[in-house]
């Protein structure tokens, strides 16, 4: 069982930055694929970024070059550094953990989810 708790969301102006954190419980954190997803009101949950146990990463095209995912296995924490934020990126951001060997962009492949942290980008 893995419990995930996100933090770091908030209100930021367009062009600004935020750093999201996701603290995980459990002794096998390092073996999980960790992902960040987001969901805006009335829209489906969408993949943002993921990182493997070997620090391989994947990003959705719209955030490449602006967002960086990283993990600290000693602290059981995964981070999402978000720069140059856009108003259309306003959403509830979720952290997820998947007991899989490869990075997937599909929410169904992730086993555990946090409650989400709200990111609001004003224009």
């Amino acid at each position: 069982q893995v419990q995930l708790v996100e933090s770091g969301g908030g209100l930021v102006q367009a062009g600004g930055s935020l750093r999201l954190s996701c603290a995980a419980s459990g002794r096998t954190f390092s073996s999980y694929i960790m992902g960040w997803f987001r969901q805006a009101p009335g829209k489906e949950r969408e993949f943002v970024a993921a990182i493997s146990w070997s620090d391989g990463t994947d990003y959705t095209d719209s955030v490449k070059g602006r967002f960086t995912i990283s993990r600290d296995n000693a602290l059981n924490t995964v981070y999402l550094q978000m720069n140059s934020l856009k108003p259309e990126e306003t959403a509830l951001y979720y952290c997820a953990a998947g007991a899989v060997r490869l990075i997937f962009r599909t929410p169904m492949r992730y086993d555990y989810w946090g409650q989400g942290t709200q990111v609001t980008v004003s224009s």
Side-chain angles (χ1 to χ4, degrees):
Q1 187 77 9
V2 176
Q3 292 185 330
L4 304 172
V5 179
E6 303 97 334
S7 61
L11 174 63
V12 64
Q13 288 187 335
S17 299
L18 284 174
R19 187 195 195 201
L20 306 184
S21 298
C22 174
S25 65
R27 291 177 291 179
T28 59
F29 170 79
S30 61
S31 65
Y32 285 89
I33 300 292
M34 300 299 298
W36 286 97
F37 291 76
R38 61 190 178 193
Q39 187 168 18
K43 295 188 177 181
E44 292 187 352
R45 191 168 299 189
E46 65 169 347
F47 171 80
V48 176
I51 186 167
S52 70
W53 57 271
S54 60
D55 289 339
T57 57
D58 186 28
Y59 298 91
T60 192
D61 286 347
S62 65
V63 308
K64 286 180 180 177
R66 298 186 297 117
F67 288 15
T68 303
I69 189 171
S70 60
R71 66 191 297 164
D72 186 331
N73 290 332
L75 296 178
N76 281 12
T77 301
V78 62
Y79 305 97
L80 185 68
Q81 177 66 44
M82 306 186 295
N83 299 328
S84 301
L85 282 159
K86 303 174 182 179
E88 57 264 36
E89 294 178 314
T90 293
L92 192 60
Y93 282 69
Y94 294 93
C95 174
V100 291
R101 289 188 172 272
L102 301 176
I103 289 176
F104 292 94
R105 297 186 173 194
T106 307
M108 289 178 55
R109 299 306 297 260
Y110 290 78
D111 304 286
Y112 304 101
W113 292 84
Q115 294 299 307
T117 185
Q118 179 67 38
V119 172
T120 302
V121 186
S122 63
S123 57

